[in-house]
Amino acid sequence: MAQNNPSFVLRKIGELAFEDRQVPEIQDPYDVIVNIKYTGICGSDIHYWTHGAIGPFVLTSPITLGHESAGIVSQVGPKVTTLKSGDRIALEPGIPCRRCIHCKEGKYNVCPNTIFAATPPFHGTLARFYSIPEDFCFKLPDHVSLEEGALVEPTAVAVHMTKQADIKPGQNVVVFGAGPIGLLCCALARVYGARKVVTVDINEERVRFAGEFAATHIYKAQDESAEKCAARLIEEAELGTGADRVIDVTGAETCIQTGVHVLRTGGTFVQGGMGKTNVNFPIGAVCTKELVLKGSLRYGSGDYRLAVDLISEGRFRFKDLITKIVPFSEAESAFEAVKAGKGIKTLIQGPPSE
């Protein structure tokens, strides 16, 4: 195995750098060392770079960025039985404690002691090598590329959000945010049998792409009150008394407010995007319409496996989400492009072999 580990590091707010960090070693008999081949840029990577925090997770020391990764197994611990050197895998980048009440209840995604890649203070996967437990590696079928493998993580996020929404055949679904997660939520809603799937965004290019990718209706948000926006959306998409399900992937206050108003009585609202810690919230509408409110955090039991299966079965055009693939040396310019809202999903190749 190579003796160096080139890594793309966030040193502090606004400062990115390439560093050679320590090559990970097998610490536990069930550990696997992965040679990272592709990593997608996530909105959380951008947010830590520009703001230094997301909710309670605050950057206090340098971290390697990246968590949407696929790669090739280069080394396995002595008790690993399901993987071998050379296997192609997608990495589930959040390792729970396995001991707390949440883990024991099967909700390991809300474990308070999770070690999650590129969430302060833990290092991420934008490096040549990364260490991860065997049971958080998912083998890719031969016909699934490593590039598609890097899409498993955002797909699993969308799987969890749509599970929380409990979408039923024939229902009308509105998704706020036409970034990768929002687009995947639209596609999954179609897979689950939704009658209408409406995507909402302020970015005209992304709204247009959503209509080509999965949405049955597209809606470019305007600068108006949440009530007026909701009324116009309902009218234009012909949603009758309102949507059955709303998923907000933006975390934007106006989207949250509009989402509540666009729901029919008894509808379900899922909050998946993180924005300001506190927002003005139309609680009156929630009460009078008896809405169901749910949060969604990362992914839980079975979500990663379902994501791999969806990609393997070609249930929709996953590769269309990949706008650009750049070499590791161009990681910083790729981050700048994503920050500017260019494209849908940008992948960064792993550092070249020595």
Side-chain angles (χ1 to χ4, degrees):
M1 198 164 77
Q3 297 303 306
N4 60 354
N5 192 30
S7 306
F8 189 59
V9 176
L10 173 61
R11 288 179 171 170
K12 59 183 181 180
I13 295 175
E15 184 178 334
L16 301 169
F18 293 100
E19 295 183 4
D20 187 14
R21 293 194 160 245
Q22 184 175 356
V23 176
E25 298 178 350
I26 299 292
Q27 300 289 335
D28 182 276
Y30 296 99
D31 280 352
V32 172
I33 306 298
V34 183
N35 181 197
I36 301 297
K37 293 301 182 183
Y38 293 96
T39 299
I41 300 176
C42 177
S44 65
D45 294 315
I46 302 298
H47 203 82
Y48 282 123
W49 171 37
T50 56
H51 293 81
I54 297 177
F57 307 108
V58 180
L59 182 73
T60 58
S61 59
I63 59 169
T64 303
L65 291 168
H67 60 269
E68 301 180 3
S69 294
I72 298 174
V73 174
S74 65
Q75 187 179 351
V76 301
K79 290 191 176 182
V80 172
T81 60
T82 63
L83 296 170
K84 63 183 185 305
S85 181
D87 282 345
R88 301 158 59 256
I89 65 162
L91 294 75
E92 182 174 349
I95 314 304
C97 74
R98 308 175 192 261
R99 296 177 179 85
C100 71
I101 185 64
H102 308 296
C103 288
K104 290 181 177 181
E105 289 175 341
K107 293 182 65 67
Y108 67 80
N109 59 308
V110 293
C111 170
N113 301 308
T114 295
I115 297 173
F116 198 89
T119 293
F122 306 111
H123 291 293
T125 58
L126 267 170
R128 176 173 286 147
F129 296 109
Y130 188 77
S131 176
I132 190 167
E134 170 189 23
D135 54 330
F136 284 80
C137 299
F138 291 79
K139 288 176 71 171
L140 298 174
D142 291 342
H143 64 279
V144 174
S145 68
L146 284 165
E147 293 93 325
E148 290 171 301
L151 297 177
V152 173
E153 197 276 348
T155 303
V157 172
V159 164
H160 193 69
M161 286 185 188
T162 51
K163 277 186 179 179
Q164 291 291 86
D166 192 25
I167 298 166
K168 300 288 196 302
Q171 290 184 329
N172 296 325
V173 180
V174 177
V175 178
F176 287 84
I181 304 297
L183 291 165
L184 287 162
C185 284
C186 288
L188 284 165
R190 296 288 298 275
V191 169
Y192 298 154
R195 177 171 170 264
K196 291 182 179 179
V197 179
V198 186
T199 189
V200 183
D201 205 293
I202 59 173
N203 185 313
E204 191 164 347
E205 179 186 351
R206 289 192 167 188
V207 168
R208 187 166 54 249
F209 180 86
E212 299 168 354
F213 182 70
T216 62
H217 295 69
I218 60 175
Y219 183 86
K220 186 174 183 297
Q222 308 295 322
D223 185 12
E224 58 189 349
S225 71
E227 292 90 339
K228 286 184 178 179
C229 184
R232 193 158 61 86
L233 196 161
I234 290 170
E235 180 181 2
E236 291 187 13
E238 298 181 340
L239 296 177
T241 58
D244 299 287
R245 302 288 187 264
V246 163
I247 300 173
D248 177 64
V249 190
T250 69
E253 184 174 87
T254 54
C255 292
I256 296 167
Q257 294 168 344
T258 303
V260 169
H261 290 300
V262 86
L263 276 167
R264 66 164 177 81
T265 297
T268 297
F269 181 97
V270 174
Q271 186 61 47
M274 289 188 180
K276 293 192 300 183
T277 302
N278 297 297
V279 298
N280 289 319
F281 188 73
I283 193 168
V286 173
C287 294
T288 57
K289 294 199 286 185
E290 288 198 346
L291 302 181
V292 176
L293 302 182
K294 295 182 181 180
S296 185
L297 179 66
R298 297 169 181 157
Y299 19 76
S301 180
D303 295 338
Y304 239 76
R305 172 51 59 198
L306 179 53
V308 172
D309 289 344
L310 287 164
I311 293 174
S312 175
E313 294 167 8
R315 298 299 292 271
F316 42 91
R317 306 185 314 273
F318 286 89
K319 276 191 172 180
D320 289 359
L321 295 173
I322 301 174
T323 305
K324 194 174 184 180
I325 300 175
V326 303
F328 187 73
S329 60
E330 296 178 17
E332 186 163 358
S333 62
F335 266 64
E336 292 284 359
V338 173
K339 178 185 173 184
K342 296 180 180 178
I344 302 298
K345 176 59 68 177
T346 297
L347 303 186
I348 300 173
Q349 294 175 335
S353 301
E354 290 182 309

